[in-house]
Amino acid sequence: MAFAVRRAGVHVGRLSLVAVIVALLVAGIGGLDAVAERMIADGSARMLTDAEPDARTMRVVAQQAADAGAQDAAVRDAVASAFSGADVVITRQVSAVVHATFASERTFELGLLDDVRVPGLAALADGAWPESAEQIALPVAAAERRGLAVGDTITKIDPLQPAAGSVELALVGTWTPDDAADPAWHGDPSVVSGENDGVIGPAFTVADALDGLPDPPSVTWEVAPESTDLAELPALISGVTKLRAVPEVVDPDGDHDMDVIGGLGATLQRQAAAVAGTRGLLVAPLLIIALLGLLVLGIVLAMLAAARAEEIVLLRARGASRRSLAVGAAAEALIFGAAGALVALAGLVLTVGAGTTALLIAAGAALVPALLSALFTARITGGGASVRADASRSDAGLRTLPVLLVPALAAVALAAFATWQLFATGSVVRADGAPDPLAAAAPALMLIAACTLVPVIAAPLAALAERALRRTRGIAPILPLRQIARRMGGTAVAILCLALAAASIALAAAAPVAAGAAEQRTRFAVLGGDVRLITDEGLDTTAAEAAEWSGVTSAAEILRTPLAIGADTVDLLAGPSEALGFTGSMDTGSANVVGAELTRSLADRLGAQVGTVFTAQVRFAAQPVSIQVLRIVDALPGIGSGWGVAADPERLRAAGVRLAADELWLDSADPVTVASLLRTQATHPVRILTEAQVSATPVTSVASTVLTAGALIAAMLGVAGFFAATSAMSRSRREEPLVLRALGLRRSQQRTLRVGETTGVAGYALIAGALLGTAVAVVVLPIVLGLGS
C-alpha cells in the first residue's frame, strides 16, 4: 500500500488534473442539464399562461339534458378517459339568454351565468353576491348600459307567455373582472364591455338557478391542464385529440348539439415544438463537452502511462503481473476521478440541484479514467518486460488517415440521416405531436461530424502546401508543414479539441441572432403588427379611433377572407399598402382586374408568374373576380409563407367585392395596454393577439443562455486538450532537436519553427471550427427555432 501511495505521489499533478477534468465534466453537463430543464419548464409554463384565453383550454359545449346530473357524469367520465395519463381540471358552467325588461322599457336580452368560480374571478364594486335564484349580479359596464343600480328589479319574461312566465330578478351587486383575459370567461367580451352580440350581461346567479328555464340552457365543461409538468405534455396532446370523440360517446344521436371547441391543442403543439427544438439544440454543448472531456482525459492518462513506462517495464521484469499493474493504475484514476465527481456533485447540490443526469454523468466520469488508465497500462505491458516506452515511431505519416477517416465518416453518415429527417419534416415534432429526437439532434450531430473532418483534411492540405513550397529556400515553411502531414496522430487530437471549442462558440454566438430572426418571422406571419384583433362580426373600434390612443403609432383595418381558386382555398388580405408592405403600384390598368401580390408557395401551386391573370371566387361575395399577379413574394404579413393573396381594398370594391374589414392591426410600444383597451371596446366575440401570445421565446431563449455557458466550458476543455496534445507530441519528438542541431539549426530557430507549427495548427483549427459552427447555425437554426413562422 505504501509503495502504491508513493507511486501515486510522484504523479499527483497529472492525477489531480484528472480530478479537475472529471469535476468540470460533471459540473458542466449535469449543471447545464439541470438549469436547462428548469428554464425550459418555466418557459413552457409561460407560453401557456401568455396564450390567448381561447388557446388555454378545451371546452365541451352542449344543451343541458333533462337529467343534468347524468349528463355531467357522462361528460366527466369521457373527458377523464381521453386525458388518461394527464391531470386536468374540469369545470362546469351553465349559461342562458333570456328576455327581460326594466322599468317598463323595451325588452332586451339578458345573459345569465351559473359558475361557482365567479366570486373568485371578480371583485364587487357595489352590493353583494347573489344568494338565491331570484338575485343576480351584473358587470359594472352592463349595469351602466341599461341604467341599472343595486336594488333595481329586472323582470325576466317568457316571450310565449309574457304574463304567466315573468319572474322578478333583484340586482344585488355589480362587479368587475380581475382579469378579462382569464380563460374562465371563455373570451366573453361582455365581462368588461357589458354586451356580447346585443346580449347584456353576464348576470351571475346561484347554482341550479337556470334549471327551470323553458328552453334548455347551454352547458360548458371547461378542460384545463392541472399543471405545466413537461412530462405530461404528450399525454395532454393525445388527450386533446381524443377529446374530439366525446360527442360521439356521450351524445351519439346529437340530441343535445354537443361540440368540442378551444385552442389548447395548438398551444400544446407550440410548446412541444419549442421544447423539442430547444432540447435538441442543447444536445450540442452537452455532447461536445462530453467528447472534449473524454479526449482530454485520454491525453492526460496516456501521458501519465508514457511517463511511467520505464517504471512499469521494470516492475513487470521483477515479476509484477499485468493484471496487478492495470488494476493499480485503474484504482488510482478511480480515486481521483471519484473525488472530482463528488466535489462537482456537492457544488451542484448547493447551487442548481443534482438530478438523475448529473448522477449518471458522475458515475460514468469516475469510471472512464479508471478504464482508460488500465487500458494504457496494459498496452505498455503487452509486449513483455523488454518493451521500451519509446519503441514506436511518432511519425506515422498518412497511415493515421484511415484511422481518422472511419469515425469521421460514421459521424457524417449519422449527421446526414438526422439532417435529412429534419429537412424532410421541416420540424422537430412529429405529426402526432411527439418530439422527433433524431431531427432535434441534427444540429449537434452536424457540428460534431463537421469538426471530425477538420483533422482529416489537415494532413492532405499540409502535404499539398509542403509540396507547393518545396522549391523555396529555407527549411522554415516546409518543416512545420511536413511535421503536420506526417505526425497526424497527436496533431489530429489537438485540432479536434480546438475545432470543437471554436464551433461551440460560433454556434452560441449565432443562436441569439437566429432566434431573433425566427421571432421576427413569427411576428410577421401571425400578427402583422404588435397587436392583432380578429372578429367575425365587424369592428367595434375603427383604425381612426385606435390611432388616437396613447402609444399607438399606426392602425390599419384589414379584410381577411377565404378565396377559392379552383379546388384550393387560400387567404385573401386587403388593406392599406403600408400595413401589407406593397412594394409598388397595385394598378392593373383595368377596373375589372384586381392587382395582387402572391406568396411564392401559392404561385408555385398555380404555376403563376408575374402578369398571370386568373379567376377566383371570394367566399362571401356574390361574384367571381379576376386577379392579376403583380408581384410574387416569399411571405405576406399575417399569412407567412403559406398560400396567400394580398390586394388593395379599393381595387376590390371597384371589382364588386364589398366586404367590411374584420381585423385591426396596430403598432404600439405597449401592446398589453392596447390589447386591454380593445377588450373594453369589444361588444362582439374577438381574438386579440400580441407577440407574447404567439411567441416561443420563453422556451427558445433558453438555448442562447445554455449554449453560451456550454461554449465557455467547451472552450476551457478545448484549450486544455490542445495544449495537452501539443505537450504529448513534444515528448514523442525528443530526438528531433538533436537531428536539427546537427543540421545547423540553433535552439532559437527550432523554437521559432515549433511555435510557428503550433500557431498554424491552432489557427487552422479555430478558423475551420468557427466557420463550420456558423455554417451549421445558418443552415439548421432557422428550422429548429422557426417554430411559429
Side-chain angles (χ1 to χ4, degrees):
M1 177 63 71
F3 177 69
V5 173
R6 286 197 301 272
R7 288 185 65 212
V10 174
H11 301 283
V12 69
R14 289 190 177 94
L15 290 171
S16 298
L17 184 57
V18 169
V20 171
I21 295 169
V22 169
L24 194 58
L25 272 173
V26 176
I29 298 177
L32 288 179
D33 180 75
V35 170
E37 281 301 304
R38 185 178 303 171
M39 295 177 67
I40 288 173
D42 292 342
S44 179
R46 278 184 54 199
M47 286 181 66
L48 181 61
T49 302
D50 292 343
E52 59 175 314
D54 183 66
R56 285 183 256 174
T57 62
M58 294 297 294
R59 303 192 300 278
V60 180
V61 183
Q63 289 183 351
Q64 183 170 286
D67 189 344
Q71 183 189 40
D72 179 54
V75 171
R76 289 178 183 273
D77 288 345
V79 172
S81 176
F83 285 92
S84 59
D87 295 326
V88 294
V89 177
I90 306 173
T91 308
R92 182 173 180 268
Q93 181 187 90
V94 184
S95 61
V97 176
V98 299
H99 295 271
T101 61
F102 169 65
S104 301
E105 291 184 1
R106 188 177 59 184
T107 300
F108 64 92
E109 290 184 314
L110 176 68
L112 298 176
L113 178 66
D114 169 9
D115 190 335
V116 295
R117 298 174 296 173
V118 170
L121 299 171
L124 280 170
D126 190 16
W129 294 110
E131 296 181 352
S132 68
E134 290 76 31
Q135 296 178 340
I136 59 171
L138 279 171
V140 170
E144 290 176 350
R145 282 182 179 273
R146 304 306 303 182
L148 294 165
V150 172
D152 289 340
T153 299
I154 298 173
T155 303
K156 182 180 68 175
I157 62 174
D158 183 348
L160 300 178
Q161 300 177 345
S166 62
V167 176
E168 301 295 327
L169 299 176
L171 179 61
V172 298
T174 57
W175 50 269
T176 56
D178 296 332
D179 179 11
D182 193 294
W185 301 118
H186 303 164
D188 184 356
S190 63
V191 295
V192 283
S193 68
E195 181 180 339
N196 181 4
D197 275 342
V199 178
I200 301 299
F204 170 64
T205 186
V206 298
D208 303 326
L210 308 184
D211 289 352
L213 294 177
D215 295 325
S218 176
V219 188
T220 301
W221 290 268
E222 179 187 294
V223 183
E226 185 173 354
S227 69
T228 55
D229 188 355
L230 291 180
E232 292 190 355
L233 196 54
L236 287 171
I237 294 174
S238 175
V240 169
T241 302
K242 295 177 182 177
L243 192 67
R244 304 291 182 186
V246 167
E248 297 179 5
V249 174
V250 179
D251 186 26
D253 298 327
D255 296 333
H256 305 293
D257 295 330
M258 187 170 288
D259 194 13
V260 176
I261 58 177
L264 176 62
T267 303
L268 295 175
Q269 291 284 0
R270 287 199 305 118
Q271 287 179 285
V275 170
T278 304
R279 279 178 171 167
L281 194 56
L282 297 184
V283 170
L286 300 183
L287 279 181
I288 289 174
I289 290 172
L291 182 56
L292 285 172
L294 289 175
L295 289 173
V296 178
L297 281 174
I299 296 169
V300 172
L301 291 171
M303 292 173 62
L304 176 60
R308 283 178 163 179
E310 293 183 2
E311 173 190 328
I312 292 172
V313 171
L314 180 60
L315 291 173
R316 184 81 174 98
R318 291 181 176 180
S321 68
R322 294 176 60 192
R323 180 178 179 182
S324 63
L325 291 173
V327 170
E332 290 175 354
L334 180 62
I335 291 171
F336 280 86
L342 290 174
V343 170
L345 282 177
L348 291 178
V349 170
L350 295 175
T351 53
V352 299
T356 304
T357 300
L359 295 175
L360 293 175
I361 293 296
L367 289 174
V368 166
L371 296 175
L372 290 176
S373 187
L375 177 64
F376 291 140
T377 302
R379 183 179 178 183
I380 290 176
T381 62
S386 63
V387 73
R388 291 183 46 180
D390 57 352
S392 61
R393 293 182 56 181
S394 62
D395 58 338
L398 295 178
R399 290 182 300 171
T400 57
L401 187 59
V403 179
L404 297 174
L405 197 57
V406 171
L409 291 178
V412 168
L414 183 58
F417 184 51
T419 305
W420 173 83
Q421 179 74 4
L422 177 64
F423 278 85
T425 59
S427 175
V428 293
V429 180
R430 299 193 186 105
D432 60 357
D436 188 334
L438 187 61
L445 296 175
M446 287 181 66
L447 205 63
I448 292 175
C451 288
T452 58
L453 292 175
V454 175
V456 173
I457 300 172
L461 286 179
L464 289 174
E466 185 260 341
R467 184 182 293 266
L469 296 173
R470 188 171 294 174
R471 295 182 180 180
T472 60
R473 291 184 177 182
I475 198 173
I478 298 176
L479 181 60
L481 291 172
R482 182 173 296 175
Q483 295 288 12
I484 294 172
R486 297 187 178 184
R487 299 177 183 270
M488 210 48 220
T491 306
V493 177
I495 291 174
L496 182 59
C497 288
L498 271 192
L500 286 170
S504 297
I505 294 173
L507 184 67
V513 178
E519 282 303 310
Q520 286 299 318
R521 289 195 302 273
T522 298
R523 180 182 179 276
F524 181 82
V526 180
L527 296 179
D530 295 317
V531 182
R532 178 180 179 183
L533 180 144
I534 305 170
T535 179
D536 294 329
E537 302 291 339
L539 299 174
D540 294 305
T541 302
T542 66
E545 294 170 343
E548 299 296 323
W549 294 349
S550 175
V552 174
T553 55
S554 67
E557 295 180 12
I558 305 293
L559 167 65
R560 184 189 184 110
T561 188
L563 182 69
I565 306 175
D568 298 322
T569 299
V570 305
D571 287 322
L572 169 65
L573 290 180
S577 59
E578 59 272 15
L580 298 183
F582 295 140
T583 56
S585 172
M586 303 301 289
D587 188 14
T588 62
S590 172
N592 297 323
V593 179
V594 177
E597 289 187 353
L598 268 66
T599 56
R600 194 169 305 280
S601 61
L602 178 59
D604 292 341
R605 168 68 175 174
L606 302 178
Q609 299 177 347
V610 173
T612 299
V613 178
F614 59 91
T615 302
Q617 176 71 49
V618 179
R619 180 64 56 86
F620 301 110
Q623 64 184 56
V625 59
S626 296
I627 297 177
Q628 181 178 350
V629 181
L630 298 182
R631 285 173 294 276
I632 298 174
V633 296
D634 292 328
L636 287 172
I639 292 178
S641 58
W643 294 350
V645 177
D648 183 275
E650 295 298 330
R651 303 292 302 177
L652 279 176
R653 279 191 284 271
V657 180
R658 303 179 182 276
L659 297 177
D662 54 5
E663 294 193 10
L664 189 62
W665 294 3
L666 302 99
D667 287 322
S668 171
D670 188 5
V672 175
T673 300
V674 171
S676 179
L677 287 172
L678 287 172
R679 208 173 295 280
T680 62
Q681 301 293 318
T683 59
H684 299 87
V686 296
R687 294 177 59 203
I688 302 175
L689 303 178
T690 63
E691 188 170 358
Q693 293 173 330
V694 300
S695 173
T697 298
V699 173
T700 56
S701 61
V702 177
S704 299
T705 303
V706 178
L707 283 174
T708 301
L712 294 176
I713 298 173
M716 290 188 287
L717 287 172
V719 171
F722 178 80
F723 284 108
T726 303
S727 176
M729 285 189 296
S730 298
R731 289 180 57 86
S732 68
R733 293 162 60 175
R734 284 178 296 183
E735 77 286 354
E736 184 179 306
L738 296 176
V739 177
L740 294 178
R741 190 78 177 94
L743 293 175
L745 267 71
R746 298 188 302 273
R747 293 184 182 276
S748 60
Q749 292 175 307
Q750 293 184 40
R751 283 195 297 270
T752 301
L753 289 174
R754 186 64 61 83
V755 170
E757 179 184 336
T758 303
T759 303
V761 169
Y764 167 74
L766 290 173
I767 293 173
L771 290 176
L772 290 173
T774 304
V776 170
V778 170
V779 172
V780 178
L781 291 189
I783 300 177
V784 176
L785 296 177
L787 305 169
S789 59

